[in-house]
Amino acid sequence: MSIQKFLAVSNYRREKQIAYNKEHNITPRSVKRAIEDSLSSADDQQKKAAAVLNDAVGNFDVAETIRET
């Protein structure tokens, strides 16, 4: 029963999306970004965060620093 309900809702949403796309002349297309781009971006952010922590002078309490922000 729940699978049938899920399929009915999915079909309803798909029909609404198709109608909206036709009304606004939208042609759906796939995302064409390489996975490596996303991964390298996350890796860069982690490196920047590590560099900030490495550049910090003296000992500090991480919990206290987070609480202050």
Side-chain angles (χ1 to χ4, degrees), residues 1-54:
M1 180 72 170
S2 62
I3 292 175
Q4 291 173 341
K5 195 173 188 179
F6 170 77
L7 291 174
V9 170
S10 295
N11 286 333
Y12 170 76
R13 290 179 178 171
R14 182 177 296 116
E15 289 170 6
K16 284 190 71 147
Q17 185 67 56
I18 290 170
Y20 179 88
N21 289 351
K22 283 183 182 179
E23 181 180 337
H24 294 91
N25 296 321
I26 297 173
T27 303
R29 55 190 170 103
S30 297
V31 175
K32 295 184 180 183
R33 181 179 60 200
I35 294 174
E36 291 81 15
D37 292 344
S38 296
L39 294 176
S40 68
S41 174
D43 189 41
D44 290 344
Q45 291 174 354
Q46 288 177 348
K47 287 179 183 178
K48 288 178 186 176
V52 168
L53 290 176
N54 288 337

